Amino acid sequence: MALTDIRKNDEVQVIAGKDRGKRGRVVNVLPQKNRVMVEGIARATRHTRPSKNNQQGGLVLQEQFIDLSNVLVVCRHCGKPTRIGHRTADGVKGRICRHCEGDL
Ligand SMILES: [Zn+2]
């Protein structure tokens, strides 16, 4: 799978780990490391120091990066989680759903 297949704001379904089956929106991608951060997925508590934005510091719930291979993009046409297929039309490379072949 090409590194840039999953993009920010894609809806994805988790297929492995303790959040398996959950869906969320991609909020961050690290293409070089094959990792994504998904809203509401893989949250863990972190200790933080007091800062400007968080004057008390303490424990915050923060999403962790997870491996790209643990998620599938949810097709907005058929609603199924899918691996990303590709189609080149008029010289433009597009992403398609493997189930319904709709554009992703
Ligand atoms: Zn589809």
Side-chain angles (χ1 to χ4, degrees), residues 75 78 97 100:
C75 174
C78 67
C97 169
C100 68

Side-chain angles (χ1 to χ4, degrees), residues 29-52:
V29 185
L30 285 181
Q32 298 86 350
K33 295 191 171 179
N34 276 336
R35 292 175 93 73
V36 289
M37 187 183 284
V38 184
E39 200 171 58
I41 303 299
R43 278 189 174 162
T45 49
R46 275 193 170 172
H47 296 271
T48 57
R49 291 160 187 243
S51 68
K52 242 186 229 169

